[in-house]
Amino acid sequence: MSETFYVTTPIYYVNARPHLGHVYTTLVADSLAMFKRQRGIDTFLLTGTDEHGISIERAAAARGIPVKQHVDEIVDEFKAAFAKFNVRFDRWIRTTDDYHESAVQELWRVLEERGHIYKGDYEGWFCGYCNEYRDVEQDVDNPLCPLHDRPLDRVAEESYFFRLSNFQAPLIELYDSRPDFVQPDARRNEVRSFVAGGLKDLSISRVSVKWGIPVPNDPKHTIYVWLDALSNYITALGWGNDRYKEFERYWPALHLVGKDILRFHTVYWPAFLMGAGIELPRQVFAHGMWLSGGRKMSKTLGNTVDLAVLHAHFAPDMIRYFVLREMSFGQDGGFTYEALIDRVNSDLADGLGNLASRTLTMIKNYFGGQPPRRFAVGADRDEMRNAIEQAKARFHEEYDALNFSRAIEAAWAGIARIDKFITDNQPWKLAKDSSARDRLEEVIATAYEGLRHVVLLTAPVLPETTLEIWGQMGLNGEPLKINPDESKWGEPLDASTIDLISPAFPKLNKEKIMAEIEDQKERPQAAQQPAEHATTKEQEVASPLGATQAAAPAVADKISIDDFVKVELRAATVLEAERVPKSDRLLRLIVDLGEAEPRQLLAGIAEHYAPEDVIGRKIIVVANLAPRKLRGLESNGMLLAASVGEDGKPVLATFTEDVPNGARLK
Ligand code: MSP
């Protein structure tokens, strides 16, 4: 039987729009799947959406639309977000799919038959965003979820329970006998000590939640959303249903998850599987979080990186490369646009891109575009061949161990070696000396051959651009379909004449892009357009994210009064106003908020209001917003404006009666 590989991503909640964090796990899984397929391994990549549960029910209610309509819309956004990166998944599971729903009920029946489920009463606190029960200090009246800063729900109702407490010993045995089951080691230790501390039985049904899968034979109960969601990994292959038939072929899986959902995957999930007598996953690898402002990037906290802004400035391959290279897989990493631009410029434009253009340009200039295949003999040839073989071996080893960043470093060591070889041999001088023609051929043939191997190697990291470079090199086929380990140094090639050479990665202008991003952050979402230099390499998809974002109404959940009072809205008068130099959109305002000193704030309204239009106007300001720098100027607050029409034209909020500066709105 041929080797198979099954990799999964978490299935994403459809209570909010996709952001960089979601895209991250999917890009990693996709790049890993490409790596395996390229090496001839029969690979299956599963991703999808987690569509049941109380927070999704509430998100739909807040929009005033049926839950199914809400989930369909957000699923389309997730699909569009992944299509933008051309993610090559084999199946997209939705937990609202019929075959999944009936298979989850089948799993319930099996667990019940095997004596792992009983009926009781549950009383406690529940976070609808984590879908997790939370232990809370006795004397707190309105506790908040420590992860989401949102109020917890008090739950007191009849519930079915899973006998999780019976699985403490088998789980400890699992972690100890299969140290690779949970990775990295730090995560295994964390989960092991959690389990060693004792396990309580788990409430696995809710009477007060309607949006979900009914418990077989007791439909007033809805199956706990994590039991429903975790099962996706087997139902998608056909376990418990007739729709698919791939369970035998692909199970067990490598589950890639964020460390935020470690416990569900390494405690509950193996316990459910053990209970049902199903083989356990191959591994659960919990990666770190992208942080923004020091906290996990999450829609609930409102600190995500907007995909529309990212795509407006960076080609999909640049983003994919950055997330794989910048984050040590398993550790947290902070995201900044500056770091992304620096990586693109140093590694892609100056690194791979430059190597490709200089090599191909020399072939065009010195050999009429036909790549030479005369290789040097002896030490010179061996050294270059060895350097590339070494880069390939290390890349393979590190990638297989999910050390993506180190694998990429190895490939880039190969690039640096070829660059040095070119510089040391100065082919531009050899080209002027007709007696050095053979040597010139050897040097260029070696550089071209090195480039060919590097392009094959990095195809899972830069799938779109390596295909483009491959074509420019005059080579047939697709790098992703050629196994780099089987492609030999100096093997015969059928290369056509090199003709069109265009830089694979144009150098990015950091200052300009940063200024545009700052401007865009201020701009209402509907008005966001790709910046003028948005790269042409971006793939267009049937439903590009930008368009979906403009069309779909914002997804908002209900907030409590506690959330509202956190926002300090105050009346103010504009004392001074002027345009911010080199910005079309920003006005610098000095406003009187009834404080000891007037404040400076920046407002993205210059396209619609001249400075003289706003001087003397009464406005409303969010007074307790953390200060922010835009174009080197500090903004201490935000003025309120309605966003009107297709282009999101701002219209300033004001009062029709006299209000003193500093008066609070509540
Ligand atoms: N629906 C559950 C998962 C069920 S799996 C059976 C869920 N969904 S989620 O939409 O909240 O997405 C969680 C996953 O998205 C994380 O585990 C991680 O893979 C990814 N990320 C979300 N935010 C992230 C960061 N800030 N950084 C990195 N990955 C992040 O939990």
Side-chain angles (χ1 to χ4, degrees), residues 10-13 21 25 50 226 233 258 260-261 287 289-290 297:
I11 48 170
Y12 302 101
Y13 285 135
T25 318
D50 187 353
W226 273 100
Y233 300 131
D260 53 336
I261 51 176
H287 64 70
M289 293 288 120
W290 283 104
M297 196 183 286

Side-chain angles (χ1 to χ4, degrees), residues 46-331:
L46 176 71
T47 191
T49 35
D50 187 353
E51 304 181 18
H52 291 134
I54 189 79
S55 67
I56 290 160
E57 207 172 306
R58 285 179 183 155
R63 293 177 64 194
I65 59 171
V67 193
K68 187 67 169 87
Q69 183 188 335
H70 166 76
V71 296
D72 286 351
E73 282 179 19
I74 306 283
V75 167
D76 284 347
E77 290 197 29
F78 269 92
K79 286 191 170 164
F82 295 164
K84 200 96 177 148
F85 291 93
N86 199 11
V87 169
R88 294 136 173 97
F89 57 85
D90 295 284
R91 185 152 302 143
W92 184 288
I93 187 167
R94 299 184 57 173
T95 54
T96 49
D97 287 337
D98 290 347
Y99 76 89
H100 170 78
E101 295 194 351
S102 58
V104 171
Q105 290 179 322
E106 175 59 17
L107 181 63
W108 180 285
R109 273 186 223 105
V110 174
L111 290 172
E112 200 165 36
E113 266 163 35
R114 294 168 69 112
H116 299 297
I117 293 180
Y118 64 93
K119 205 182 218 178
D121 289 300
Y122 181 82
E123 191 167 353
W125 296 97
F126 186 81
C127 172
Y129 296 92
C130 318
N131 281 308
E132 192 174 10
Y133 297 94
R134 295 235 165 260
D135 290 332
V136 160
E137 309 245 341
Q138 292 295 316
D139 54 353
V140 180
D141 283 342
N142 292 308
L144 299 179
C145 169
L147 290 181
H148 291 102
D149 287 349
R150 298 284 186 109
L152 296 171
D153 296 331
R154 182 78 191 155
V155 178
E157 61 186 32
E158 183 185 88
S159 172
Y160 285 94
F161 286 82
F162 174 72
R163 293 185 196 281
L164 186 63
S165 54
N166 285 350
F167 290 87
Q168 182 181 16
L171 285 169
I172 296 283
E173 159 66 18
L174 167 67
Y175 308 140
D176 291 348
S177 63
R178 285 178 52 188
D180 275 351
F181 180 73
V182 184
Q183 279 295 311
D185 287 343
R187 299 275 97 82
R188 185 186 60 246
N189 296 338
E190 184 184 317
V191 78
R192 192 189 183 286
S193 55
F194 170 77
V195 172
L199 290 176
K200 286 194 274 184
D201 288 347
L202 180 69
S203 163
I204 51 163
S205 77
R206 288 285 299 274
V207 177
S208 50
V209 177
K210 291 287 159 246
W211 180 245
I213 306 174
V215 166
N217 303 321
D218 198 353
K220 79 171 192 297
H221 284 263
T222 299
I223 297 178
Y224 176 42
V225 64
W226 273 100
L227 173 54
D228 163 357
L230 288 161
S231 313
N232 92 88
Y233 300 131
I234 55 174
T235 64
L237 294 183
W239 187 93
N241 65 78
D242 294 330
R243 171 86 174 264
Y244 297 114
K245 304 256 176 289
E246 286 122 344
F247 185 71
E248 301 297 326
R249 180 163 159 200
Y250 290 111
W251 186 255
L254 162 65
H255 296 312
L256 298 182
V257 299
K259 68 178 185 185
D260 53 336
I261 51 176
L262 177 73
R263 191 181 302 168
F264 302 101
H265 283 82
T266 56
V267 182
Y268 303 171
W269 180 225
F272 294 151
L273 291 169
M274 285 178 196
I278 299 170
E279 187 184 350
L280 299 182
R282 179 200 286 239
Q283 183 175 75
V284 179
F285 195 108
H287 64 70
M289 293 288 120
W290 283 104
L291 310 177
S292 157
R295 290 190 79 177
K296 176 193 164 190
M297 196 183 286
S298 101
K299 204 75 191 181
T300 326
L301 296 177
N303 60 347
T304 58
V305 169
D306 191 328
L307 289 173
V309 175
L310 263 184
H311 285 299
H313 299 279
F314 306 96
D317 267 8
M318 296 176 180
I319 304 167
R320 185 190 284 267
Y321 174 84
F322 177 76
V323 295
L324 286 167
R325 174 65 182 85
E326 188 77 2
M327 183 108 125
S328 269
F329 198 57
Q331 286 165 28

